[in-house]
Every structure is written in C-alpha cells, then in structure tokens.
Amino acid sequence: MTALVNHQVRLAKRPDAAATREHWSFTDEPVGEPADGGVLVKTLSLSLDPAMRGWLNDARSYIPPVAIGEVMRAGGIGRIIASKNPAFAVGDTVYGTLGVQEYIVIAQDELKRNGLVKIDLRAGSIGQWLNVLGMPGMTGYFGLMDVGQPKEGETVVVSGAAGAVGQTVGQLAKIKGCRVVGIAGGEAKCKWVVEELGFDACIDYKAGEGAVRAGLKEHCPKGVDIYFDNVGGEILDAVLAKLARKARVIICGAISQYNNANSMPAAGPRNYLSLLVNRARMEGIVVFDYADRYPIAIKELAGYLKDGRMKSKEDVVKGIETFPESLNKLFAGENFGKLVLEVATD
C-alpha cells in the first residue's frame, strides 16, 4: 500500500465568512497498512452538506469543530481494500466518516467513532446511500416523524425543498397523507418539486420581494401545521407568521446564515411570539441522536425507492481538488438535489 498516495484536503485557517480556496491546504501522504483489527478504505464518493460550514467555526456545537491542520470531516461511501478485521472483507462497500481524502486507515478502536458500517448496494445506488438512505434521509425521516409527528390531512411546508433533506421530507409527508408545500429557489427547482416529487405546490423564493409571504397566503390558507426549516432567516420568519394552532416547527438548519461574518451571528426569529399565540412548538433535530434507529428508517425508505413512491436526485461533482468550490455551491443555491463529490470510481 505504500505505493499509493493519499490526496487530502485539510483546514488551513478558519473562515470569517465564506470558506474559499485560501482556507484549505492540499496535502499528500503515503497510504499505510491497517494494524490488527483495522481496515483501509478507498473513498468513492463524499457527501457535501451545509452543516460542514458550521464545523469550521471554533464554537460550541453538537459536534467538535474541525481542528486547524485536520483533514476536513465528511461522510462518504468507500470500498474496503485491506482488512485485518473479521467484520469487514476486502471488497465490502461501507459508509462512514471518511474525510475529504482518497484513502483512510481506520484503527479498530476508531471504527465505532467513524460510524463505519457495511451497506448493500442492492437497496440503493451510492448516490442514494448518501441521500435518501444516508444522513439527509435520516435527518428528514426522524425530523418529520419524531419531531413533526404528521397527521393525515395536515399542511407541511419545507424549505430547501429541492435539496437533500427537503426532498425526503416532502415526499415522506405526501406518503403519510399530508398536503405539502415546498420553498425552493428558481422555476426549474419548483417545477421539479411539484411535477417529479409530487408536492402540492412550491414557492419560488427568488421570484421577488414578498414572494414567500404571498405564496404562503395562497397555498396555506388555513395555516401551516408543520414547518421543516432548512434555511432560517427571513423565510423562517415568514412561515412563523402563518402557523396554525398547535403547529410544530422543526429546526434542521439555517443555510441562509452560515456564511455570515463571525461578528454577525445568525439572525434569530422575529416572529417567535407566534409560537405563544398558536400554542406551537419549535424543536431542533440532530440526526446523530437517532443512530440506533437508522436501520428502521433505511428499511422503510428503501421500500419507497423500490416501489417508486420516492425519488432521489443527486447533483454529482467530480474530483477532490474541486472541494472548495463545490462546497460553496450549497450556499449559492447552485446545487440541484443532493450534492455529492465523486472521488473515485470502482
């Protein structure tokens, strides 16, 4: 294995606002052999997620920040190419925290921390295992089902509707008998959300000032029973103003706020008193809290993919060297579907 070279992306310095190429260093090192109980994984594809921007801040959160000089954290799909652990065989396809690099040696005592598990490509493609069957799908499933607790006939609004989490939330809510209204950026995304995913309506937040408020008034005349928030900011405020009695608001992310300068913290909701007036509830979702129940969600969602009730769209970019620019596609709304970085092919 020493003949193999591992190309890596490491955090060089913390960004004050958007992370650009200057904040990263590109390093090479020889690929080592796993010790007893360990494995060597070749990275195939990585998941690029908005949460990655938050991991760059030296601030208290649900997960420690990426350290200066550390390989950038990322979940991904890989192939076992050397194993000294009986639980993993050469050729196994696995999911885990692989990092933005081409290879990773995982010691036996790090396997659990890295969340390394075998996956079955008969249940879904690599892209689907990073989307509906991966962290975005798990986030959408448990956020909607456990926190949102949807009831048939309720109105569900989801922002970032064409993104990784949003597409799962909206389709799952439809399967559970809800009326679903998406919020997405651009006519093409809104058309896809309605015509391909089966949402009842979609509001284009790029259609001009007041577009979201007007869209909510038109498509949610009786109010919003469940709001799944991926963006925060002004869109969160607009939906809070339209809550129905006993509404549930799921806080998943705030992508509109992640690239604020560090001196400008994320803007909090101005319309929070709507929670009081409507006896509503707002609760955060961190997907790692549900890790022991992932197999339950995967089995259900894989069934929906197989029978055609759910679709999974990925936006694939190629090459580890493109990581800085590819990550920023998320914050410019340039990705269409789950953003996946293809590192290598089989």
Side-chain angles (χ1 to χ4, degrees), residues 51-205:
M52 297 171 82
R53 175 60 187 84
W55 300 341
L56 305 182
N57 297 331
D58 189 10
R60 181 178 178 272
S61 186
Y62 61 87
I63 193 170
V66 176
I68 299 297
E70 185 179 356
V71 173
M72 179 57 192
R73 183 187 299 136
I77 303 292
R79 186 86 71 221
I80 300 288
I81 61 172
S83 176
K84 294 184 179 179
N85 188 307
F88 297 94
V90 172
D92 284 346
T93 306
V94 293
Y95 174 87
T97 303
L98 306 183
V100 185
Q101 56 188 345
E102 293 178 325
Y103 299 92
I104 180 172
V105 175
I106 306 177
Q108 184 175 18
D109 61 358
E110 295 177 341
L111 291 171
K112 184 175 181 180
R113 182 172 63 85
N114 282 67
L116 199 73
V117 293
K118 290 190 286 188
I119 63 171
D120 185 356
L121 292 182
R122 292 174 297 181
S125 66
I126 287 176
Q128 290 170 336
W129 273 102
L130 291 176
N131 192 6
V132 174
L133 303 180
M135 288 302 103
M138 300 303 96
T139 302
Y141 182 93
F142 291 109
L144 179 66
M145 300 306 296
D146 276 46
V147 181
Q149 300 177 1
K151 301 176 182 64
E152 187 173 353
E154 289 189 319
T155 295
V156 176
V157 173
V158 54
S159 57
V165 175
Q167 61 180 270
T168 296
V169 171
Q171 292 179 96
L172 184 59
K174 285 297 296 180
I175 290 169
K176 301 301 180 181
C178 297
R179 172 177 169 77
V180 179
V181 177
I183 302 174
E187 292 183 12
K189 290 182 180 180
C190 282
K191 182 178 180 181
W192 177 74
V193 161
V194 173
E195 296 184 0
E196 295 294 326
L197 300 189
F199 285 42
D200 294 283
C202 187
I203 301 165
D204 179 5
Y205 73 84

